[in-house]
């Protein structure tokens, strides 16, 4: 079995849970994978996943400067050999971190060749090593995806390209990515609409492009069925970047699209915090929109910067945020096929390999703490009681009659003419609730 000759992270051992008092920066203070929360282990609640693209492929460049990342194991070439060696490093990292899953785009793991045939051959060669390493470590594939946005051929989009041949190329690429995801036992497959959107409407036929995107997704669903892939499909909302407007702009837009094109049975949503905030929403809002439509599938865990207007993809460290994420997830039945997938990158200034560990440990601990606090809030019941109390009238006679279709405008008018006016409203108690949430956070 392939093995990296020397360890890529020789000074770092297995990251262990040492409890909240630990001063060891390479230990968990909250993530204790076997600890039971609401009767389930933290490992099974959180289903942490490392992303290949940021953690193993991002050189940490920005529009103003070259990459800074020190990755001593990487020879800097785009060779298949280098790609295979990188897999060993990735699995050493993930094993030491103790995550059960990872996620990748086809082009993260293997280089593109001169032709599609060569590209597929490259992918197969690396997938062989991925499979060996999955078997060696027990780490599984959370979801696979195809990169339909980096290559210049996708400049106008992929499934929504005005060029039908580009649509065909994207179809061939996704076909292969589905086969590989299936081969690796992937639990899901994600569509993030890379460049599926527009830069200006003067040259764009929006209706035609959207119908092409729907056709593309139906083809993917049909092919998955043919090859026996039963993983969950996800669509990942994002409002802009790289295009001025991405069609999958937020959870509501995605759900509307899925409903319009009869795709709700096949795709759930993969929600990403920084995408939510770019759309002018909170992650809590997006979780609620998806969850209340039974479409909450998985999350890309990260955060943006309040003062920067782009997709900074930072690691999530804000306990308030992780608490709201976990409250939303628990409310809608927990993660089943999905996971807490760290679609996040270290800052350009955090260029050393050890920073990859600090970043993930921080994110995992923040989510573990969020999980514990969310479970405490649910067990305590005061927040739920306050929310329920706000709707008390709907549990009484009139509310129940309206909810069970026993009223119409005429009967309601009659009732209100008799009463003259409503009897009164009750306080929303927002400040009380915010104080209550703070009290859990400081416990
Ligand atoms: C882009 C993004 C992607 C998807 C997978 O903003 O989030 O990395 O998660 O294609
Ligand atoms: Co993402």
């Amino acid at each position: 079995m392939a093995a990296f000759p020397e360890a890529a992270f020789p000074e770092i051992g297995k990251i262990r849970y040492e409890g909240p008092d630990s001063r060891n920066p390479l230990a968990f203070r909250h993530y204790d994978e076997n600890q039971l929360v609401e009767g389930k282990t933290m490992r099974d609640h959180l289903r942490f996943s490392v992303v290949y693209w940021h953690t193993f492929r991002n050189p940490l460049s920005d529009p103003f400067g070259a990459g800074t990342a020190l990755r001593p194991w990487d020879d800097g070439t785009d060779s298949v050999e280098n790609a295979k060696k990188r897999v060993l490093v990735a699995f050493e990292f993930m094993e030491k971190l103790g995550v059960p899953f990872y996620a990748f785009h086809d082009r993260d793991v293997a280089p593109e060749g001169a032709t599609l045939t060569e590209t597929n051959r490259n992918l197969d060669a690396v997938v062989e090593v991925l499979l060996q390493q999955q078997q060696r470590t027990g780490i599984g594939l959370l979801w696979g995806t195809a990169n339909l946005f980096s290559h210049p051929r996708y400049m106008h989009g992929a499934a929504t390209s005005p060029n039908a041949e580009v649509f065909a190329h994207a179809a061939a690429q996704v076909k292969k990515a589905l086969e590989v995801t299936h081969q690796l036992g992937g639990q899901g497959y994600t569509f993030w609409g890379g460049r599926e959107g527009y830069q200006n409407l003067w040259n764009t036929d929006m209706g035609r492009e959207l119908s092409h995107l729907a056709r593309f997704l139906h083809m993917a669903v049909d092919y998955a069925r043919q090859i026996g892939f039963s993983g969950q499909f996800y669509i990942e909302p994002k409002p802009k970047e790289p295009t001025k407007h991405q069609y999958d702009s937020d959870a509501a837009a995605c759900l509307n699209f899925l409903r319009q094109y009869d795709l709700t049975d096949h795709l759930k949503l993969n929600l990403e915090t920084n995408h939510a905030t770019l759309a002018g929403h909170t992650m809590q809002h997006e979780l609620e929109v998806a969850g209340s439509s039974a479409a909450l599938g998985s999350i890309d865990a990260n955060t943006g910067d309040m003062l920067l207007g782009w997709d900074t993809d930072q690691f999530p460290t804000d306990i308030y945020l992780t608490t709201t994420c976990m409250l939303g997830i628990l409310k809608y039945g927990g993660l089943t096929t999905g996971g807490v997938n760290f679609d996040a990158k270290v800052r350009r200034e955090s260029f050393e390999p050890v920073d990859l560990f600090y970043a993930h440990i921080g994110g995992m601990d923040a989510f573990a703490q969020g999980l514990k606090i969310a479970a405490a809030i649910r067990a305590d019941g005061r927040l739920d009681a306050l929310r329920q109390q706000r709707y008390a009238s709907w549990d009484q006679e009139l509310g129940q009659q309206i909810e069970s279709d026993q009223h119409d405008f005429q009967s309601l008018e009659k009732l209100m003419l008799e009463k003259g006016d409503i009897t009164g409203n009750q306080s929303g108690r927002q400040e009380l609730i915010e104080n209550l949430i703070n009290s859990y956070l400081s416990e």
Side-chain angles (χ1 to χ4, degrees):
M1 188 168 297
F4 193 57
E6 323 100 54
F9 310 97
E11 285 97 46
I12 299 171
K14 173 103 179 117
I15 308 300
R16 306 207 179 272
Y17 171 70
E18 293 185 2
D21 295 333
S22 173
R23 306 284 292 261
N24 177 0
L26 288 169
F28 296 118
R29 295 170 59 246
H30 296 281
Y31 181 58
D32 177 5
E33 62 175 3
N34 296 317
Q35 185 181 329
L36 292 179
V37 177
E38 295 192 4
K40 201 160 105 176
T41 62
M42 279 196 170
R43 185 183 167 90
D44 289 344
H45 268 294
L46 294 162
R47 295 168 59 82
F48 285 129
S49 166
V50 166
V51 304
Y52 212 93
W53 53 98
H54 283 318
T55 301
F56 306 111
R57 300 311 312 275
N58 197 320
L60 307 182
S61 56
D62 70 16
F64 302 93
T68 57
L70 280 184
R71 304 291 181 248
W73 54 83
D74 205 299
D75 67 17
T77 69
D78 220 5
S79 72
V80 174
E81 273 324 295
N82 193 28
K84 284 184 180 174
K85 266 198 301 185
R86 199 184 286 124
V87 173
L88 306 185
V89 176
F91 276 82
E92 180 193 333
F93 175 79
M94 296 189 288
E95 214 185 354
K96 286 182 168 170
L97 198 60
V99 288
F101 295 108
Y102 72 111
F104 68 82
H105 301 84
D106 48 3
R107 304 298 175 252
D108 305 333
V109 292
E112 181 129 5
T115 61
L116 188 57
T117 308
E118 198 185 304
T119 304
N120 288 347
R121 206 181 304 131
N122 291 349
L123 186 55
D124 284 333
V126 180
V127 163
E128 204 178 297
V129 190
L130 288 169
L131 189 59
Q132 281 170 2
Q133 292 299 308
Q134 285 188 200
Q135 285 162 353
R136 181 184 71 75
T137 58
I139 294 170
L141 178 60
L142 186 71
W143 47 259
T145 187
N147 179 330
L148 303 175
F149 44 91
S150 293
H151 194 282
R153 77 173 69 84
Y154 295 123
M155 63 173 70
H156 298 289
T160 64
S161 172
N163 181 344
E165 278 200 359
V166 173
F167 181 103
H169 195 285
Q173 194 178 325
V174 170
K175 175 179 176 290
K176 180 70 182 171
L178 279 169
E179 289 161 9
V180 157
T181 300
H182 185 39
Q183 190 186 344
L184 294 172
Q187 305 215 353
Y189 186 92
T190 293
F191 288 97
W192 166 60
R195 291 178 193 273
E196 316 293 25
Y198 63 80
Q199 296 291 12
N200 76 85
L201 282 169
W202 302 115
N203 68 5
T204 301
D205 187 338
M206 189 193 277
R208 201 167 186 185
E209 291 196 5
L210 285 168
S211 75
H212 293 166
L213 181 58
R215 191 175 299 267
F216 192 89
L217 295 179
H218 274 291
M219 285 183 191
V221 167
D222 290 346
Y223 186 64
R225 204 173 287 141
Q226 269 179 47
I227 60 173
F229 174 67
S230 56
Q232 176 63 51
F233 279 105
Y234 307 108
I235 190 162
E236 182 177 323
K238 183 176 183 180
K240 52 191 159 199
E241 227 186 89
T243 66
K244 171 192 171 82
H245 173 81
Q246 302 269 132
Y247 291 136
D248 307 330
S249 53
D250 62 5
C254 286
L255 287 171
N256 181 56
F257 170 80
L258 295 176
R259 288 187 186 115
Q260 183 176 354
Y261 292 101
D262 203 19
L263 284 157
T264 42
D265 286 349
H266 309 294
L267 288 103
K268 289 188 174 176
L269 302 186
N270 178 39
L271 301 173
E272 178 165 327
T273 317
N274 206 165
H275 296 178
T277 47
L278 283 178
H281 303 310
T282 59
M283 184 63 163
Q284 190 181 19
H285 167 95
E286 292 292 81
L287 287 163
E288 203 54 42
V289 171
S292 59
S293 286
L296 174 53
S298 196
I299 68 165
D300 271 8
N302 65 12
T303 191
D305 184 301
M306 236 196 0
L307 303 179
L308 300 175
W310 64 89
D311 199 14
T312 58
D313 281 347
Q314 290 169 232
F315 277 83
T317 53
D318 178 354
I319 313 299
Y320 212 101
L321 169 68
T322 58
T323 299
T324 56
C325 286
M326 290 318 299
L327 269 175
I329 288 168
L330 292 175
K331 176 174 175 188
Y332 290 108
L335 297 168
T336 52
T337 53
V340 173
N341 182 51
F342 289 112
D343 192 354
K345 60 180 183 236
V346 290
R347 297 305 84 195
R348 185 168 182 269
E349 301 80 2
S350 309
F351 56 87
E352 294 179 358
V354 69
D355 291 309
L356 297 173
F357 277 94
Y358 294 141
H360 284 86
I361 290 169
M364 290 164 78
D365 257 352
F367 262 89
Q369 213 177 341
L371 169 63
K372 289 191 282 189
I373 296 167
I377 292 174
R378 281 156 59 86
D380 177 80
R382 276 178 293 167
L383 179 61
D384 257 357
L386 281 162
R387 190 168 38 219
Q388 261 172 34
Q389 177 56 35
R390 195 159 166 260
Y391 293 88
S393 69
W394 288 94
D395 298 324
Q396 289 152 15
E397 195 185 357
L398 175 63
Q400 285 294 293
Q401 286 171 347
I402 299 173
E403 281 190 352
S404 55
D405 267 343
Q406 294 173 44
H407 273 290
D408 55 21
F409 270 11
Q410 289 97 316
S411 65
L412 291 174
E413 182 197 44
K414 182 164 177 284
L415 188 89
M416 276 300 132
L417 288 173
E418 275 163 20
K419 281 202 81 167
D421 204 345
I422 64 155
T423 29
N425 262 316
Q426 41 169 330
S427 166
R429 300 271 184 257
Q430 178 165 337
E431 295 75 11
L432 171 70
I433 290 172
E434 286 164 347
N435 297 349
L436 186 61
I437 301 289
N438 274 355
S439 76
Y440 296 110
L441 289 171
S442 56
E443 256 165 33

